[in-house]
Amino acid sequence: MLKFNSIFADELNMFIDYKRGLGLKYEKEMFRLHKIDDILFDLKLENKEICQETYEALVQRDGMEEANYARQYGVTNDFCRFLISLDYHNIYFKEKKFHVINNYIPVLFDDNEINVIFETCDDFMIKSKGTKYFRLYYGYSILFRLLYSCGLRISEALKLKLNNISIERGVIQIINSKKNVSRYVVLSQSMSCCLVNYINIFCLDNNDFLFVNSRDSVLSAKSVRTFYKKVLKASSLNPNARVHDLRHVFCNNALNQMLSKGYDEYTVIVHLYKFMGHKSIHETEYYLHFTDYERNKIIEDRLELSKYLYEGVDLNE
């Protein structure tokens, strides 16, 4: 790893530790931090402060595309906020809104495909029994079920310790997740049973991380993504799917279940945005896709309304 050389070298390392302490991978952002460090080094600052002139040098666009520039700008502002949180004075930064279009379309597996994923995970687990990889593969089979049934982020699941789980109450406590949001997530009865079996087999203590690798170190998000691709290949499922898509699947399933029970759609979204750990309803709307239930519901409502709007007209024409 390249080292930092500017007057803020120590703070940049602290910033990385802080981000990773939140459960973030924070590897793609490294080159952005080195760009910040290079600019600060070239400016030959004598004091640990970021005035407006220094800040403007840090956020120069330099021909970057909008999406790339938005990320560089965001990392720079995050670092400035971090310095302010450390009680550094004379730290200037400016908020700016970007309109970046995300063209990625999540892969939404149906119930049968989800079951195939779980069965494939279980096959890996069964074959590893009696080896040092048994807990790793058993952990994967629990992890993917947890992501699917609770709508967790990967970072949230990998930070879980046994003392974050209350089987008696049927909840998981998520502490200081993305944007420092904490919340409780409800466990289904079947998910609780899976967790109890896993905990009992491996005799976990309160402060033990739930998911570790074969060296008893905390499982990395990179390892989870790599194994997920392996599972998709073995299952002959869409290889372009991401682990994070399981969160999309959860959100859509939860939406459909609540709508089918007669809940008002606007009330449903309010429940979901709290459950998902979002800071606004707009974030949750990104996860809600045009599902079969919604499409059929809209068609039914349109036909019902059309009977009165277009009386005497054959709607089947």
Side-chain angles (χ1 to χ4, degrees):
M1 184 193 299
L2 296 173
K3 67 176 184 178
F4 298 115
N5 300 304
S6 72
I7 193 172
F8 283 105
D10 291 339
E11 288 76 12
L12 285 163
N13 282 313
M14 290 167 61
F15 179 61
I16 294 169
D17 290 340
Y18 165 72
K19 287 291 187 179
R20 289 179 176 168
L22 294 176
L24 301 175
K25 190 176 179 183
Y26 223 72
E27 291 181 2
K28 291 182 179 179
E29 293 80 5
M30 289 298 294
F31 81 94
R32 303 188 191 282
L33 293 178
H34 280 291
K35 181 175 181 179
I36 292 172
D37 183 65
D38 289 342
I39 294 172
L40 292 172
F41 181 77
D42 291 340
L43 290 173
K44 296 180 173 59
L45 300 179
E46 296 182 357
N47 299 309
K48 290 187 176 182
E49 62 181 29
I50 295 179
C51 63
Q52 183 173 349
E53 185 178 357
T54 300
Y55 177 77
E56 289 174 354
L58 291 173
V59 295
Q60 282 184 351
R61 185 154 186 170
D62 293 333
M64 285 185 279
E65 293 182 357
E66 183 78 357
N68 196 22
Y69 179 55
R71 294 185 183 97
Q72 185 67 41
Y73 200 100
V75 169
T76 304
N77 276 13
D78 271 356
F79 180 61
C80 289
R81 292 189 194 93
F82 177 72
L83 293 176
I84 292 172
S85 74
L86 296 178
D87 289 330
Y88 281 74
H89 302 289
N90 300 321
I91 304 296
Y92 176 89
F93 75 94
K94 184 178 180 181
E95 297 289 358
K96 182 177 180 179
K97 290 186 177 181
F98 293 86
H99 300 284
V100 179
I101 299 173
N102 185 352
N103 293 320
Y104 176 77
I105 300 175
V107 177
L108 301 181
F109 290 127
D110 61 29
D111 291 345
N112 290 330
E113 290 168 325
I114 290 293
N115 285 331
V116 170
I117 290 174
F118 294 159
E119 288 168 3
T120 305
C121 288
D122 292 345
D123 286 341
F124 278 106
M125 180 261 290
I126 292 168
K127 291 175 183 176
S128 70
K129 198 168 184 177
T131 73
K132 66 177 182 178
Y133 299 106
F134 182 51
R135 179 174 173 183
L136 171 65
Y137 287 118
Y138 201 132
Y140 279 133
S141 70
I142 297 296
L143 174 62
F144 291 131
R145 284 175 166 88
L146 200 58
L147 296 174
Y148 167 74
S149 66
C150 296
L152 301 184
R153 302 179 177 95
I154 303 177
S155 59
E156 293 171 344
L158 297 182
K159 284 169 59 179
L160 286 176
K161 293 184 177 181
L162 184 56
N163 58 17
N164 299 131
I165 301 171
S166 173
I167 299 297
E168 295 78 14
R169 295 171 59 199
V171 296
I172 294 176
Q173 185 180 23
I174 306 296
I175 303 172
N176 293 333
S177 186
K178 188 175 180 180
K179 298 182 181 178
N180 294 320
V181 175
S182 298
R183 69 190 192 282
Y184 284 99
V185 175
V186 179
L187 287 169
S188 66
Q189 187 173 356
S190 58
M191 190 68 244
S192 294
C193 291
C194 289
L195 281 170
V196 168
N197 291 336
Y198 178 71
I199 291 165
N200 289 340
I201 288 172
F202 298 102
C203 304
L204 302 188
D205 292 326
N206 270 339
N207 289 313
D208 286 346
F209 282 100
L210 214 57
F211 304 110
V212 297
N213 59 27
S214 57
R215 298 181 300 278
D216 290 331
S217 298
V218 181
L219 201 58
S220 70
K222 182 178 180 180
S223 298
V224 175
R225 294 186 181 100
T226 300
F227 182 71
Y228 191 62
K229 292 294 182 184
K230 190 175 180 179
V231 168
L232 294 177
K233 184 177 180 180
S235 306
S236 299
L237 293 174
N238 191 334
N240 297 318
R242 308 172 307 173
V243 179
H244 192 73
D245 291 346
L246 295 174
R247 185 165 155 89
H248 286 264
V249 176
F250 164 82
C251 197
N252 279 269
N253 285 350
L255 171 73
N256 284 343
Q257 286 176 18
M258 286 190 278
L259 288 178
S260 67
K261 291 178 180 178
Y263 287 90
D264 177 78
E265 58 186 295
Y266 299 107
T267 304
V268 167
I269 293 177
V270 172
H271 281 299
L272 276 178
Y273 106 83
K274 288 292 186 182
F275 193 93
M276 300 281 284
H278 293 151
K279 279 210 165 182
S280 74
I281 290 176
H282 297 298
E283 292 180 63
T284 309
E285 288 175 340
Y286 169 69
Y287 284 82
L288 300 178
H289 306 276
F290 198 67
T291 62
D292 288 339
Y293 179 87
E294 291 175 287
R295 182 170 64 249
N296 293 335
K297 182 174 181 292
I298 289 171
I299 291 172
E300 289 171 7
D301 290 346
R302 177 183 64 80
L303 290 175
E304 185 65 27
L305 180 62
S306 297
K307 287 191 297 186
Y308 302 99
L309 289 179
Y310 308 107
E311 191 171 352
V313 176
D314 187 350
L315 297 176
N316 294 319
E317 287 183 353

